[in-house]
Amino acid sequence: MVVSAAACGVLITTLTSCGGQDADKDGARSADAGKSKDKDKAQTVDLKRIPDVGDRLQSQIPANSRQVVAVYGAGKDSADSTVVFYTRTGTTWDKVAGWKAHNGKKGWAADHHEDDKRSPVGVFSLTDAGGVLPDPGALLPYTESASIQAPHYWAKSHWHDFDYVIAIDYNRVKGTAPNDPTRPEGQTKGGSIWLHMDHGSGTSACVSLPKAGMEKLLRTLDPKQHPVIVMGDRAGLQT
């Protein structure tokens, strides 16, 4: 598949999503950066709906979706979040895995715009994946490409952010490589928002989680199950 040289917000030219050119320029990191533990232990709990998600967003989860990645932000202006993976059997949802994660460094936005450093609140499909590393066994279409790699003028801690990515279908064309720069709603609405590898702090708009979490999702998210992501700060999710 032919992909553009841009990645994560027209990476080489605008650098406005995910890591961003202003991402921790001094390279400082907390002592536990990159050491988030994978909580991927089966915790089967039967649920009639996705917890802590209000009726408005709950109703936007497609009826045929049987896989939901829920991102619970710690607060509207916080970069900290938790990702929980749910699968549905019959009419009940099972909580099967969870990980500590990060979102936009300035928090969340109900009306996301380019370079606001906030992740968009909403329900979005998950249709395409890729990364610098070879396909780990993804069920979603996977594009392996060096063009997705974070530039090495970013802090070294960010160099592996895009080893694995899953495109979040916000202002993008489904069925294309994650770094396809096309933005149907226009450049100002932002785009190239992904699930990607965590570097220990906030992103420019993406959601980042540990490598083990990315591998789990890549090997489990199945287009036949119509996976979606429900994301936002806890208060925003419940409105």
Side-chain angles (χ1 to χ4, degrees):
M1 178 181 294
V2 176
V3 298
S4 69
C8 210
V10 194
L11 181 65
I12 304 304
T13 56
T14 63
L15 298 170
T16 52
S17 295
C18 296
Q21 60 184 357
D22 63 342
D24 297 317
K25 294 179 181 178
D26 60 2
R29 283 293 172 271
S30 60
D32 62 347
K35 295 183 181 179
S36 297
K37 293 183 178 179
D38 181 3
K39 296 183 179 179
D40 183 19
K41 294 182 179 179
Q43 306 176 49
T44 302
V45 178
D46 291 340
L47 303 163
K48 294 300 181 183
R49 56 188 285 154
I50 304 300
D52 302 315
V53 176
D55 291 343
R56 181 179 66 86
L57 292 179
Q58 199 88 39
S59 66
Q60 294 178 29
I61 299 173
N64 62 354
S65 178
R66 309 188 77 80
Q67 295 179 324
V68 167
V69 177
V71 185
Y72 298 101
K76 182 178 180 181
D77 301 320
S78 173
D80 297 326
S81 54
T82 300
V83 169
V84 181
F85 181 41
Y86 298 94
T87 61
R88 186 170 67 175
T89 303
T91 59
T92 62
W93 291 96
D94 296 328
K95 175 183 176 181
V96 295
W99 306 272
K100 292 296 183 183
H102 291 94
N103 50 265
K105 55 174 59 76
K106 290 187 177 180
W108 297 89
D111 184 19
H112 170 71
H113 283 81
E114 182 80 1
D115 205 33
D116 64 8
K117 301 297 186 288
R118 294 178 179 271
S119 298
V121 177
V123 178
F124 310 101
S125 56
L126 300 170
T127 56
D128 302 282
V132 177
L133 297 180
D135 186 347
L139 300 179
L140 296 174
Y142 188 93
T143 300
E144 177 188 348
S145 175
S147 69
I148 295 176
Q149 186 173 32
H152 281 197
Y153 57 80
W154 286 8
K156 188 175 181 178
S157 54
H158 292 64
W159 289 1
H160 295 285
D161 280 11
F162 312 139
D163 281 358
Y164 292 131
V165 304
I166 299 170
I168 295 170
D169 290 337
Y170 171 89
N171 196 18
R172 70 178 300 270
V173 178
K174 299 177 185 179
T176 62
N179 58 345
D180 185 303
T182 307
R183 297 184 177 182
E185 297 178 54
Q187 192 74 15
T188 60
K189 289 291 290 181
S192 297
I193 298 174
W194 302 343
L195 286 163
H196 68 67
M197 305 268 280
D198 190 57
H199 55 247
S201 64
T203 70
S204 286
C206 296
V207 174
S208 61
L209 60 158
K211 182 178 182 180
M214 287 298 299
E215 290 176 335
K216 171 71 172 181
L217 293 178
L218 284 166
R219 292 168 179 161
T220 309
L221 291 175
D222 184 349
K224 295 179 181 178
Q225 304 301 316
H226 308 284
V228 299
I229 187 169
V230 181
M231 52 194 280
D233 59 286
R234 288 189 177 273
L237 287 173
Q238 293 180 26
T239 58

